[in-house]
Amino acid sequence: MEQQLADLVAKVAALEKSSGMMGTIDIEIYYFWATAFMVLIHAGFLAYEMGASRAKNVLASGIKNILAFAFIVPTFYFFGWWIYLAFPHGFVPSSDGDAGLPWATAMGPNLSDNATGVFWAAFTLFAATTASIMSGAVIERIKVYGFVILAILLGSFAWILACAWGWHPDGWLLKSYGYHDFGCAGIVHVIAGFFTLGVLMNLGPRIGKFNADGSANDLPGHNIPMVLIGLMLIIVGFFGFLAACAILNAGGQWTNIYGEPMTLSSVAFNALMGFSGGLIGAWVMTRDPFWMMSGGLAGIIAAAGGMDIWYPPLAFIIGASAGLTISLFNDMLTKFGLDDAVGAVAVHGWGGVIGVMSVGVLASGYPGPDGSPGISLVGQFVGLVVCIAVGFIPGFVGSLILKIFGSLRVPDEAQMLGLDKAKVPVSAYPESGTAPAATVPAE
Amino acid sequence: MASPITSWEGAAEYFTFAHSPAALYGILIAAAAFVVFAIIFDGIHETGAYKKISKS
């Protein structure tokens, strides 16, 4: 009898160990593939930007976009992850960040830590997404190395600092104000949108965008179908993004990043309803397929802040409100002399503002986690102001410094000639006659 | 030796040079330096490319 009991205890212990390991591996698998889906966001941004460029600038736009991704990955490894872990309390780093230093034992293959690598990868893709949002707005006239510096400033510094404050279980925006932003409407999209706004103010418009009397010309991209496919790829990738915003707890209920319980089904409901609302809203307003797809994206962004709690038809209405208004917001920017080639400030900046404030207006009263304040209009407004500041100030100041040193804007002659001919060693469409032949070797 | 372990039994961090901080710092600095170099190199290339256009 005693032997049988001992065998039983041993079997239970073995089963518990096996179950625990399976849970750990489930977490790895989940975030690994969520990250893989997020790479589709970048496939989408690549197609989107190249399609939105004129034929003479297609490859230069593609190169710039790819480099945003390429430079975010190492810089986020060098210091981005450390910033997230070290700065949840403000500007003073805590020792919690030590685990994210690039020489920490967790920052490489480690049999006692299955989680850090996949979480780092997911956050790295968030960072690259943030930088890619800026990339489209500045096409056809920004210097690549200036852009790369700004992308690093945005993706591996500014965004992740705000993320530590407002998208971290110990972040001060949560602990002091109950800030709630499930899908990073403010933390990613407002920051990227307003960073881009600051850059556009210093960069200036493309040659030919505005007439002497201030009226604007349309500078259509060379391949609108490519733009539409790119936007749809971004949408697919966003499902990976939103999936990575949920925390898989082995053996327990899902939680959001703040530790509040939720279901992945809530994301399924509300991402689709927000997307649909944004598509229809923009279709009603513009009948333009470019703005329709952008509206769909803005719809998801606008619903993202409360995607874990919305009643789905409300997510639809919030998405529709973004779809109805983004083209108007872009028109307003154009009237101020700003040339946003893809409407990034409207889609991400304005869409993100709706996403943050809709939570404050329509979801106040939800309790916070572990004694943190609940959701409130004031808390969301404070979070929004912080996101705008953390986006706009580095974008404006960083691009101003680059401008002073002549490292921001491509000379007019090169813009007129086309950036592909100026500096790309191959031609986008060598047999079509629409793109110039190669001239300057890459050295 | 690059391997920080001599057996898989009880191994934790097992990435190359995990047992050698000096080697890790050296590799890290080299990687960071390459990132900086690539940005500077592009700046030189772009500036040269635009100057050629201005002259022609």
Side-chain angles (χ1 to χ4, degrees), chain A residues 71 78 102-103 105 108-112 143-145 410-411 413-414 422-423 441-443, chain B residues 8 11-15 25 28 31-32 35 38-39 41-43 45-46 49-50 53-54:
Chain A
F71 278 90
F78 296 153
W103 50 83
T105 57
N110 187 328
L111 293 172
S112 65
K143 288 184 175 177
V144 169
Y145 68 100
V410 169
E413 308 87 49
K423 60 180 183 174
E443 297 173 16
Chain B
W8 289 106
E13 66 274 17
Y14 63 97
F15 52 88
Y25 293 143
L28 184 65
V35 169
I39 295 171
F41 184 73
D42 180 71
H45 175 253
E46 255 191 302
Y50 298 143
I53 294 167
S54 299

Side-chain angles (χ1 to χ4, degrees), chain A residues 366-401:
Chain A
Y366 273 88
D370 297 331
S372 297
I375 296 173
S376 70
L377 183 61
V378 171
Q380 294 303 111
F381 183 72
V382 170
L384 177 65
V385 170
V386 169
C387 289
I388 289 173
V390 173
F392 182 79
I393 294 170
F396 184 83
V397 174
S399 58
L400 180 63
I401 292 169

Side-chain angles (χ1 to χ4, degrees), chain A residues 45-79:
Chain A
F45 272 125
L46 181 61
Y48 180 28
E49 273 188 49
M50 291 197 297
S53 297
R54 287 166 290 178
K56 64 181 181 177
N57 298 317
V58 173
L59 293 178
S61 292
I63 288 170
K64 178 177 64 59
N65 176 279
I66 293 165
L67 286 176
F69 188 102
F71 278 90
I72 288 296
V73 173
T75 53
F76 198 81
Y77 183 91
F78 296 153
F79 51 84

Side-chain angles (χ1 to χ4, degrees), chain B residues 23-41:
Chain B
L24 288 186
Y25 293 143
I27 294 165
L28 184 65
I29 290 168
F34 181 69
V35 169
V36 174
F37 162 79
I39 295 171
I40 294 170
F41 184 73

Side-chain angles (χ1 to χ4, degrees), chain A residues 225-307:
Chain A
M226 188 190 285
V227 170
L228 300 184
I229 291 168
L231 277 159
M232 191 56 94
L233 282 171
I234 294 171
I235 300 294
V236 175
F238 256 77
F239 278 83
F241 183 106
L242 293 167
C245 292
I247 304 300
L248 172 59
N249 299 291
Q253 181 60 281
W254 296 88
T255 59
N256 60 22
I257 194 71
Y258 309 117
E260 297 158 323
M262 60 164 285
T263 66
L264 202 56
S265 281
S266 61
V267 179
F269 276 129
N270 291 321
L272 287 173
M273 291 294 267
F275 176 42
S276 176
L279 280 171
I280 295 172
W283 174 67
V284 167
M285 183 57 74
T286 69
R287 310 283 166 178
D288 177 337
F290 168 79
W291 281 110
M292 279 173 62
M293 286 304 301
S294 297
L297 182 57
I300 293 178
I301 294 164
M307 199 162 272

